[in-house]
Amino acid sequence: MFVKITTSGSRRYVQLVESYRDDTGRVKKRTVATLGRLDHLGSELDSVISGLLKITGREPLADVPPPSVSFESARALGDVWMLTELWKELGFGELRRVFRKTRHTSDIEALIRVMVLNRLCDPDSKLGVLRWLETVALPEVDLKAITHQQLLRSMDALMDHQTEVDSVVAGLLRPLIDQDLSVVFYDLTTIRSEGLVTVENDVRKHGLAKEGLIARQFMLGVVQTAEGLPFYHEVFDGNAAETKTLLPTLTTVLARFPSVRRLILIADRGLLSLDNLESLQAIKLSSGQPLEFIIAVPGRRYHEFVDLLGDFHRTRCATASEEVIDELAWNDLRLVVAHDPATAATQTQRRSERIDTLIAQGEQWACKLVDQDEGIKRRGRKLSDSGAKARFFHAVSEAHLSKIIKVDLAAQLFSYDIDGDARMLAEMMDGKLLLVTNVQGLTPHDIVSRYKSLADIERGFKVLKSEIEIGPVYHRLPERIRAHASICFMALILHRVMRTRLRAANAGLSPERALEQLHRIQHHRIRLNDAEPLTGVSSINDEQNKVFHALGVKKPVASQQLTLL
């Protein structure tokens, strides 16, 4: 027996209908009662319903208490879901095969994945990772079983099997690298570290940080493609010379990617030395092709090119109103020169203003010293020649003008000179970029354009230090520091793949903004009247759908779809 709504003209009626079989066994239906017009029914049926409930031994409607509903704390799902799918799609899941044959009872791949995803979603210490796990619904991971010690042991396992791990990472990156012509960028940055204890083979050394301060740190070298995909990193001592890191890094890169048939290395100014150039020209790829490179000349070596650039500057640059790009021959290599008149004018003007300010200060102190010698009193503390020399030399050094303003520290009296030749050399080099290269087949404009793309690796370092928060590092053991760098490097790979896909889809979102959008997708658990809990995923809006589509990742699903209020 069931309730049926029938239509007669413009009116609709509620009927009580039952099914039965006729003499031939066919199923037929007949109306037991018509309960009235649908639009006229109100509370008239409540007494009928209550009577039926009473007959069947159930509580009447008026006596039924409202259901008890309990909600558990919602957990973020969307961002970790997407990153997990991307992790598996790229092939990082192969790390499970590396650790399957080891003595570890924990799922090392899952623990590493947890730490990598944490760097992208809410970077924190290893203890902070445990607090973060209480707020997310991470797929395929037993969150309650993870401990701080397990995270640290997984970092040790990462270093114990570094060769196999590096092989997996190189294998998943190999299809993403152009095998015919791979343009790679190499640069280093400094990562601050904390702690006073010194351990054996410590990579934490005191050195000059990129911020211009002396600090305890280690160096991180990163190699990436022209498309911004990082594919190799290395940790060096904090006081290592930049020029000595290039060749070991390059040797390892060529060993991991032997199928690359042509390689153009682009490196920053600090990596140029005569020894480097000779060694770089001697390197051959497995295909027999020589290594090609584009390296900027550091400013401290510009004086070596004065004679070569003198005529070029006078004839091409001195009266130029637009950017000049050309090349000259130097030591059997190509010296590409780019001169920007606007930048040159700005640099010259700023230097002249600093020099004028310092000269005015020097003249003021010189006059005060003369007056003191003649017995004329002035306001303020008495000035000595040695004090004036020290203060003036410090001011000149802070303004980076010690090659132009020469303070005679050996003299008894306060004195200084302006080196006109040094000033003319500085003005001649203003606005210039000098590139040394052995690349053939590229025009000077192409070479300058390639080098300027090096700025993208600087943005990668910014991501490491800001969004991923690689530092400051509180680990003290060298292998733990290297494991931390490896985890952050994997996070950087995911970040750059996200950026590439979002740009290709014209999504207009940064990886950070995309993760923020997906973070709002939550996993819920509710319980009704002490029954088994129901789980569900909050509704996915259009913007979140677009993010999943742009990244090429399927949406999360659950048995219940709950609307997030």
Side-chain angles (χ1 to χ4, degrees), residues 474-488:
Y474 294 90
H475 296 288
R476 61 183 181 85
L477 299 179
E479 295 306 301
R480 292 270 175 89
I481 292 175
R482 291 189 173 91
H484 175 73
S486 295
I487 289 169
C488 293

Side-chain angles (χ1 to χ4, degrees), residues 174-182 257-262:
R174 200 168 288 123
L176 305 177
I177 298 176
D178 185 358
Q179 306 298 315
D180 293 322
L181 172 60
S182 185
F257 302 93
S259 58
V260 174
R261 289 179 283 274
R262 185 184 179 191

Side-chain angles (χ1 to χ4, degrees), residues 374-427:
E374 295 177 353
I376 301 175
K377 294 184 178 181
R378 288 195 178 189
R379 296 181 61 184
R381 297 178 59 182
K382 188 176 180 180
L383 185 65
S384 65
D385 286 279
S386 59
K389 285 188 294 184
R391 291 171 62 185
F392 193 66
F393 178 77
H394 178 73
V396 169
S397 300
E398 286 290 313
H400 304 287
L401 293 171
S402 56
K403 291 184 178 180
I404 297 176
I405 302 178
K406 305 289 187 180
V407 183
D408 191 352
L409 296 175
Q412 291 185 350
L413 300 179
F414 171 57
S415 63
Y416 61 90
D417 293 313
I418 305 297
D419 190 331
D421 292 338
R423 186 170 185 174
M424 289 178 59
L425 171 61
E427 291 177 356

Side-chain angles (χ1 to χ4, degrees), residues 177-413:
I177 298 176
D178 185 358
Q179 306 298 315
D180 293 322
L181 172 60
S182 185
V183 178
V184 300
F185 300 87
Y186 176 65
D187 203 358
L188 290 105
T189 191
T190 55
I191 308 298
R192 291 283 297 274
S193 60
E194 302 293 340
L196 301 176
V197 178
T198 301
V199 298
E200 186 178 358
N201 299 321
D202 205 338
V203 297
R204 301 171 299 167
K205 306 288 185 181
H206 284 88
L208 183 62
K210 293 294 184 181
E211 297 79 13
L213 303 175
I214 301 296
R216 197 175 194 189
Q217 62 188 16
F218 63 90
M219 305 280 286
L220 180 67
V222 174
V223 184
Q224 74 172 33
T225 66
E227 293 75 25
L229 178 68
F231 63 93
Y232 179 73
H233 79 285
E234 186 65 64
V235 172
F236 299 98
D237 289 350
N239 59 358
E242 293 188 12
T243 55
K244 295 183 179 180
T245 66
L246 178 57
L247 291 177
T249 299
L250 196 55
T251 301
T252 305
V253 168
L254 293 175
R256 289 192 184 179
F257 302 93
S259 58
V260 174
R261 289 179 283 274
R262 185 184 179 191
L263 188 68
I264 299 178
L265 170 70
I266 302 177
D268 206 357
R269 306 168 188 263
L271 298 168
L272 178 64
S273 72
L274 291 177
D275 294 337
N276 268 352
L277 289 180
E278 294 174 358
S279 302
L280 288 175
Q281 293 179 80
I283 295 177
K284 301 289 183 182
L285 305 183
S286 59
S287 61
Q289 294 290 326
L291 172 71
E292 298 173 283
F293 55 84
I294 301 173
I295 299 182
V297 178
R300 65 179 182 275
R301 296 190 56 181
Y302 274 14
H303 66 276
E304 301 177 22
F305 300 86
V306 174
D307 296 336
L308 184 61
L309 293 175
D311 292 338
F312 179 83
H313 176 76
R314 285 187 294 272
T315 59
R316 299 289 306 279
C317 304
T319 59
S321 58
E322 297 181 353
E323 186 177 24
V324 176
I325 299 178
D326 210 335
E327 67 174 286
L328 303 168
W330 178 75
N331 290 356
D332 298 327
L333 296 169
R334 300 171 66 188
L335 177 67
V336 177
V337 183
H339 176 78
D340 185 352
T343 302
T346 301
Q347 291 176 344
T348 300
Q349 179 183 354
R350 290 178 178 174
R351 184 187 301 106
S352 297
E353 291 173 352
R354 295 201 305 271
I355 291 175
D356 292 341
T357 300
L358 288 169
I359 290 176
Q361 182 66 71
E363 291 298 325
Q364 179 183 351
W365 287 343
C367 291
K368 184 174 183 178
L369 289 170
V370 171
D371 290 346
Q372 287 178 176
D373 293 340
E374 295 177 353
I376 301 175
K377 294 184 178 181
R378 288 195 178 189
R379 296 181 61 184
R381 297 178 59 182
K382 188 176 180 180
L383 185 65
S384 65
D385 286 279
S386 59
K389 285 188 294 184
R391 291 171 62 185
F392 193 66
F393 178 77
H394 178 73
V396 169
S397 300
E398 286 290 313
H400 304 287
L401 293 171
S402 56
K403 291 184 178 180
I404 297 176
I405 302 178
K406 305 289 187 180
V407 183
D408 191 352
L409 296 175
Q412 291 185 350
L413 300 179

Side-chain angles (χ1 to χ4, degrees), residues 524-539:
H524 300 267
R525 283 169 59 94
I526 64 173
R527 190 184 296 272
L528 300 174
N529 293 333
D530 298 326
E532 289 297 319
L534 300 174
T535 61
V537 179
S538 58
S539 298

Side-chain angles (χ1 to χ4, degrees), residues 455-473:
D456 191 58
I457 198 170
E458 294 291 344
R459 287 189 284 270
F461 284 141
K462 182 179 179 181
V463 170
L464 275 173
K465 292 184 177 182
S466 55
E467 282 80 7
I468 297 176
E469 295 187 17
I470 189 173
V473 176

